[in-house]
Amino acid sequence: DVMITVEEGSIGGFGSHVLQLLSLEGKLDGGNFKVRSMVIPDTFIEHGTQNEQYEEAGLNQHHIASTALRLVGRERDAFKVIPNSTATIGSDPTIA
């Protein structure tokens, strides 16, 4: 099972609450449930269009798809969805 939370906030928001609930319910105990929270990084992001800011933050559709593909074991495909990617197997393509 796989779950990805995506939010326009920083660490400590919706994704953190989801992880807290999952841990209280014991859903993470078996090791078969993969969870990733994608959030705005705690860094300065230049002014720009919403799409440009999502790109810089690593929260656009390409980064989300890449994260999902990596979680289901399709790492090679994950790098194909990010245009102009210079990432290599084992690196983290979700970091802008």
Side-chain angles (χ1 to χ4, degrees), residues 3-21:
M3 177 185 288
I4 299 172
T5 62
V6 182
E7 61 184 298
E8 292 180 322
S10 59
I11 295 172
F14 175 73
S16 295
H17 288 283
V18 170
L19 287 171
Q20 176 69 19
L21 176 65

Side-chain angles (χ1 to χ4, degrees), residues 33-60:
F33 190 57
K34 298 177 183 180
V35 181
R36 297 295 181 275
S37 295
M38 297 179 72
V39 299
I40 298 286
D42 191 18
T43 59
F44 179 77
I45 296 178
E46 290 289 336
H47 180 73
T49 68
Q50 187 176 38
N51 287 337
E52 290 169 339
Q53 291 177 340
Y54 285 156
E55 173 70 28
E56 187 173 338
L59 290 179
N60 68 14

